[in-house]
Amino acid sequence: MGKKVTVVGAGFYGSTTAQRLAEYDVFDTVVLTDIVEGKPEGLALDLNQSRPVEGFETKVVGATTGPNGEGYEAIEGSDVVIITAGLPRKPGMSRMDLLEVNAKIVRGVAENVAKYAPNAVVIVVSNPLDEMTALAQLATQFPKNRVLGQAGMLDTARFTNFVAETLAVPVSSVKTLTLGSHGDTMVPVPSRSTVNGKPLAELLPADKIEELVVRTRNGGAEVVALLKTGSAYYAPSAAAARMAKAVAEDSGAVMPVCAWVDGEYGISGVYLGVEAELGAEGVRRIVETDLTGSEVAALKEAAEAVRAKQADVAHL
Ligand SMILES: NC(=O)c1ccc[n+]([C@@H]2O[C@H](COP(=O)([O-])OP(=O)(O)OC[C@H]3O[C@@H](n4cnc5c(N)ncnc54)[C@H](O)[C@@H]3O)[C@@H](O)[C@H]2O)c1
């Protein structure tokens, strides 16, 4: 049987994610949903008409959904569901400013996902990311390995891009890593960052690395400030689509994602950005990596910062 993936929310993030997933040409069906009547159907029609030009066979199906689960039959049998529904930031807003409004949206979506696609792996992207991932797990009651969030792939891609631009080298020669929260306590990991295998610390002075770390931490806000009307979606959709592909292909790829941490790095009982091996069951296992003492301390600080907020979402 061919694979089916659903993208909930047909805004900028959702529609670009659907496009990337369709163009991979590895899924039978990509379902795109939204509450705005006709928007997902229109985008699906448009995407399908790109198939002869781009040369892919994946069918895109659009479905308008209602507050009481109307239209959700379209997602039945999905192997993966990506939740992008929710408001994006405006200039000057932090991701936490979206907490209450997006919690209502994500809870409603997650309950319908549990009902109509009970075997799916759920990838959350709505912000604030760590909290919305925890909420989606609560609302679906899916096993924790089957609910994960996208942040680390994007933050790492931003860090990598900044390093490549600074050193004027191909992005393919750069490896970086970003752990922790998708927010103020993001933990870019310079000790795990290399260019053609050479440690970053041998190529850039410490203050320049710190500058790139800060720019990475503020990477989303930098785009929001320029766009003025919404947040980033090209790099974010690339990240979420790759995660969905790894799950659908049961590939075992190791990626930085927001996953349930249970003892790794001495941290337990919280959704946090860590490296994880992805497969058909979602997170196969958390992959612990060598970190410096200060990086582990920063990761623990991030865990405590998001732990309190994740406990709060249960009441939203
Ligand atoms: N995790 C990340 O790295 C990351 C990166 C960028 C953006 N985001 C987040 O992704 C979310 C979407 O961003 P965007 O740029 O696509 O925003 P957008 O405003 O373009 O799209 C959001 C869409 O969600 C739809 N929606 C609202 N309620 C819904 C519901 N109940 N069911 C289905 N659809 C619903 C809206 O109608 C809209 O089309 C935001 O919360 C944003 O902050 C996360």
Coordinates of all heavy atoms in Angstrom, one line a residue, residues 112-159:
N112 N -9.2 15.5 16.6 CA -9.8 14.9 15.4 C -8.8 13.9 14.7 O -9.2 12.9 14.1 CB -10.2 16.0 14.4 CG -11.5 16.6 14.8 OD1 -12.5 15.8 15.0 ND2 -11.6 17.9 15.0
V113 N -7.5 14.2 14.8 CA -6.5 13.3 14.3 C -6.6 12.0 15.0 O -6.5 10.9 14.4 CB -5.1 14.0 14.4 CG1 -4.0 12.9 14.1 CG2 -4.9 15.2 13.5
A114 N -6.7 12.1 16.3 CA -6.8 10.8 17.1 C -8.0 10.0 16.7 O -7.9 8.7 16.6 CB -6.9 11.1 18.6
K115 N -9.1 10.7 16.3 CA -10.3 10.0 16.0 C -10.2 9.4 14.5 O -10.6 8.2 14.3 CB -11.4 11.0 16.0 CG -12.8 10.4 16.1 CD -13.7 11.5 16.7 CE -15.1 11.2 16.2 NZ -16.0 12.4 16.3
Y116 N -9.7 10.2 13.6 CA -9.7 9.8 12.2 C -8.4 9.1 11.7 O -8.5 8.4 10.7 CB -10.1 11.0 11.3 CG -11.5 11.4 11.5 CD1 -11.9 12.3 12.5 CD2 -12.5 10.8 10.7 CE1 -13.2 12.7 12.7 CE2 -13.8 11.2 10.9 CZ -14.2 12.1 11.9 OH -15.5 12.5 12.0
A117 N -7.3 9.3 12.4 CA -6.0 8.7 11.9 C -5.3 8.2 13.1 O -4.2 8.6 13.5 CB -5.2 9.7 11.2
P118 N -5.9 7.2 13.8 CA -5.4 6.7 15.1 C -4.1 6.1 15.1 O -3.4 5.9 16.1 CB -6.5 5.7 15.6 CG -7.2 5.3 14.4 CD -7.2 6.5 13.4
N119 N -3.6 5.7 13.9 CA -2.3 5.1 13.8 C -1.2 6.0 13.3 O -0.1 5.5 13.0 CB -2.4 3.8 12.9 CG -3.4 2.8 13.5 OD1 -3.4 2.6 14.7 ND2 -4.3 2.3 12.6
A120 N -1.5 7.2 13.1 CA -0.6 8.1 12.4 C 0.6 8.5 13.4 O 0.4 8.5 14.6 CB -1.3 9.4 12.0
V121 N 1.7 8.9 12.8 CA 2.8 9.6 13.5 C 2.4 11.1 13.3 O 2.2 11.5 12.2 CB 4.1 9.3 12.9 CG1 5.2 10.2 13.5 CG2 4.5 7.8 13.2
V122 N 2.4 11.8 14.4 CA 2.1 13.2 14.4 C 3.3 14.1 14.5 O 4.1 13.9 15.4 CB 1.1 13.6 15.5 CG1 0.8 15.1 15.5 CG2 -0.2 12.8 15.3
I123 N 3.5 15.0 13.5 CA 4.6 16.0 13.6 C 4.0 17.3 13.7 O 3.2 17.8 12.9 CB 5.4 15.9 12.3 CG1 6.1 14.5 12.1 CG2 6.5 17.0 12.3 CD1 6.8 14.3 10.8
V124 N 4.3 18.0 14.8 CA 3.7 19.3 15.2 C 4.7 20.4 14.7 O 5.9 20.2 14.9 CB 3.5 19.4 16.7 CG1 2.9 20.8 17.0 CG2 2.5 18.3 17.1
V125 N 4.2 21.5 14.1 CA 5.0 22.6 13.8 C 4.5 23.9 14.4 O 5.2 24.9 14.5 CB 5.3 22.8 12.3 CG1 5.7 21.5 11.7 CG2 4.1 23.4 11.6
S126 N 3.2 23.9 14.8 CA 2.6 25.1 15.3 C 3.3 25.6 16.5 O 3.8 24.8 17.3 CB 1.1 24.8 15.7 OG 0.4 24.1 14.6
N127 N 3.4 26.9 16.7 CA 4.1 27.5 17.8 C 3.2 27.9 18.9 O 2.0 28.2 18.7 CB 4.9 28.8 17.3 CG 6.2 28.4 16.7 OD1 6.9 27.6 17.3 ND2 6.6 29.0 15.6
P128 N 3.7 28.0 20.2 CA 5.1 27.7 20.6 C 5.4 26.2 20.5 O 4.6 25.4 21.1 CB 5.2 28.3 22.0 CG 3.8 28.3 22.5 CD 2.9 28.5 21.3
L129 N 6.4 25.8 19.8 CA 6.6 24.5 19.3 C 6.6 23.4 20.4 O 5.9 22.4 20.3 CB 7.8 24.4 18.4 CG 8.1 23.2 17.6 CD1 8.9 22.1 18.4 CD2 6.9 22.6 17.0
D130 N 7.5 23.6 21.4 CA 7.7 22.6 22.4 C 6.3 22.3 23.2 O 6.0 21.2 23.5 CB 8.8 23.0 23.4 CG 10.1 23.3 22.6 OD1 10.8 22.4 22.3 OD2 10.3 24.5 22.3
E131 N 5.6 23.4 23.5 CA 4.4 23.3 24.2 C 3.3 22.7 23.3 O 2.5 21.9 23.8 CB 3.9 24.7 24.7 CG 4.8 25.3 25.8 CD 6.2 25.8 25.3 OE1 6.4 25.9 24.1 OE2 7.0 26.0 26.2
M132 N 3.2 23.1 22.1 CA 2.2 22.5 21.2 C 2.4 21.0 20.9 O 1.5 20.2 20.8 CB 2.1 23.3 19.9 CG 1.6 24.7 20.0 SD 0.0 24.9 20.8 CE 0.5 25.4 22.4
T133 N 3.7 20.6 20.9 CA 4.0 19.2 20.8 C 3.5 18.4 22.0 O 2.8 17.4 21.9 CB 5.5 19.0 20.6 OG1 5.9 19.8 19.5 CG2 5.8 17.5 20.3
A134 N 3.8 19.0 23.2 CA 3.3 18.3 24.4 C 1.8 18.2 24.4 O 1.2 17.2 24.8 CB 3.8 19.1 25.6
L135 N 1.1 19.3 24.0 CA -0.3 19.4 24.0 C -0.9 18.4 23.0 O -1.9 17.7 23.3 CB -0.8 20.8 23.6 CG -2.3 21.0 23.5 CD1 -3.0 20.7 24.8 CD2 -2.6 22.4 23.1
A136 N -0.3 18.2 21.8 CA -0.8 17.3 20.8 C -0.7 15.9 21.4 O -1.6 15.0 21.1 CB 0.0 17.4 19.5
Q137 N 0.3 15.6 22.1 CA 0.4 14.2 22.7 C -0.7 14.0 23.8 O -1.3 13.0 23.8 CB 1.8 14.0 23.4 CG 2.1 12.6 23.7 CD 1.5 12.2 25.1 OE1 1.4 13.0 26.0 NE2 1.0 10.9 25.1
L138 N -0.9 15.0 24.6 CA -2.0 14.9 25.6 C -3.4 14.7 24.9 O -4.2 13.9 25.3 CB -2.1 16.2 26.4 CG -1.1 16.3 27.6 CD1 -1.2 17.7 28.2 CD2 -1.4 15.3 28.6
A139 N -3.6 15.5 23.9 CA -4.9 15.5 23.3 C -5.2 14.3 22.4 O -6.3 13.8 22.3 CB -5.1 16.8 22.4
T140 N -4.1 13.7 21.8 CA -4.3 12.5 21.0 C -4.2 11.3 21.9 O -4.8 10.2 21.6 CB -3.2 12.3 20.0 OG1 -1.9 12.4 20.6 CG2 -3.3 13.3 18.9
Q141 N -3.5 11.4 23.0 CA -3.2 10.2 23.9 C -2.4 9.2 23.1 O -2.4 8.0 23.5 CB -4.5 9.6 24.5 CG -5.0 10.5 25.6 CD -4.1 10.5 26.8 OE1 -3.7 9.5 27.4 NE2 -3.7 11.7 27.2
F142 N -1.7 9.6 22.1 CA -0.8 8.6 21.3 C 0.4 8.3 22.2 O 0.8 9.2 23.0 CB -0.4 9.3 20.0 CG -1.4 9.3 18.9 CD1 -2.7 8.8 19.1 CD2 -1.1 9.8 17.7 CE1 -3.7 8.9 18.1 CE2 -2.1 9.9 16.7 CZ -3.3 9.4 16.9
P143 N 1.0 7.2 22.0 CA 2.3 6.9 22.6 C 3.3 8.1 22.3 O 3.2 8.7 21.2 CB 2.8 5.6 22.0 CG 1.6 5.0 21.3 CD 0.7 6.1 21.0
K144 N 4.1 8.4 23.3 CA 5.0 9.6 23.2 C 5.9 9.6 21.9 O 6.2 10.6 21.4 CB 5.7 9.9 24.4 CG 4.7 10.2 25.6 CD 5.4 10.8 26.8 CE 4.4 11.3 27.8 NZ 3.8 10.2 28.6
N145 N 6.3 8.4 21.6 CA 7.2 8.2 20.4 C 6.5 8.6 19.1 O 7.1 8.9 18.1 CB 7.8 6.8 20.3 CG 6.7 5.8 20.2 OD1 5.9 5.5 21.1 ND2 6.6 5.2 19.0
R146 N 5.1 8.6 19.1 CA 4.4 8.8 17.9 C 4.0 10.3 17.8 O 3.3 10.7 16.8 CB 3.2 7.9 17.8 CG 3.4 6.6 17.1 CD 2.2 6.1 16.4 NE 1.3 5.5 17.2 CZ 0.0 5.7 17.2 NH1 -0.5 6.6 16.3 NH2 -0.8 5.1 18.0
V147 N 4.4 11.1 18.7 CA 4.2 12.6 18.6 C 5.5 13.3 18.7 O 6.2 13.1 19.8 CB 3.2 13.1 19.7 CG1 2.9 14.6 19.5 CG2 1.9 12.3 19.6
L148 N 5.9 14.1 17.7 CA 7.1 14.8 17.8 C 7.0 16.2 17.2 O 5.9 16.4 16.5 CB 8.3 14.0 17.2 CG 8.2 13.6 15.7 CD1 9.6 13.3 15.2 CD2 7.3 12.4 15.5
G149 N 7.9 17.0 17.4 CA 7.8 18.4 16.8 C 9.0 18.7 16.0 O 10.1 18.1 16.1
Q150 N 8.7 19.7 15.0 CA 9.8 20.1 14.2 C 10.3 21.5 14.7 O 9.6 22.4 14.7 CB 9.3 20.3 12.7 CG 10.4 20.7 11.7 CD 11.1 22.0 11.9 OE1 12.3 22.0 12.2 NE2 10.4 23.1 11.9
A151 N 11.6 21.5 15.0 CA 12.3 22.8 15.3 C 13.8 22.6 15.1 O 14.4 23.4 14.3 CB 12.1 23.1 16.8
G152 N 14.4 21.6 15.6 CA 15.8 21.4 15.5 C 16.4 21.3 14.1 O 17.4 21.8 13.8
M153 N 15.6 20.7 13.2 CA 16.0 20.6 11.8 C 16.2 22.0 11.2 O 17.1 22.3 10.5 CB 15.0 19.8 11.0 CG 15.0 18.3 11.1 SD 16.4 17.7 10.1 CE 15.6 17.7 8.4
L154 N 15.2 22.8 11.5 CA 15.2 24.2 11.0 C 16.3 25.0 11.6 O 17.0 25.7 10.9 CB 13.8 24.8 11.2 CG 13.7 26.3 11.0 CD1 14.0 26.7 9.6 CD2 12.4 26.8 11.5
D155 N 16.4 25.0 12.9 CA 17.4 25.8 13.6 C 18.8 25.4 13.2 O 19.7 26.2 13.0 CB 17.2 25.7 15.1 CG 15.8 26.2 15.6 OD1 15.3 27.1 14.9 OD2 15.3 25.6 16.6
T156 N 19.0 24.1 13.0 CA 20.3 23.6 12.6 C 20.6 24.0 11.1 O 21.7 24.4 10.8 CB 20.3 22.0 12.7 OG1 20.1 21.7 14.0 CG2 21.6 21.4 12.2
A157 N 19.5 24.0 10.3 CA 19.7 24.4 8.9 C 20.1 25.9 8.9 O 20.9 26.3 8.1 CB 18.5 24.2 8.1
R158 N 19.5 26.7 9.7 CA 19.8 28.1 9.8 C 21.3 28.3 10.2 O 22.0 29.1 9.6 CB 18.9 28.9 10.8 CG 17.5 29.0 10.2 CD 16.5 29.7 11.2 NE 15.3 30.0 10.5 CZ 14.1 30.1 11.0 NH1 14.0 29.9 12.3 NH2 13.1 30.5 10.3
F159 N 21.7 27.6 11.3 CA 23.1 27.7 11.8 C 24.0 27.3 10.7 O 25.0 28.0 10.4 CB 23.2 26.8 13.0 CG 24.4 27.0 13.9 CD1 25.2 28.1 13.7 CD2 24.7 26.0 14.8 CE1 26.4 28.2 14.5 CE2 25.8 26.2 15.6 CZ 26.7 27.3 15.5

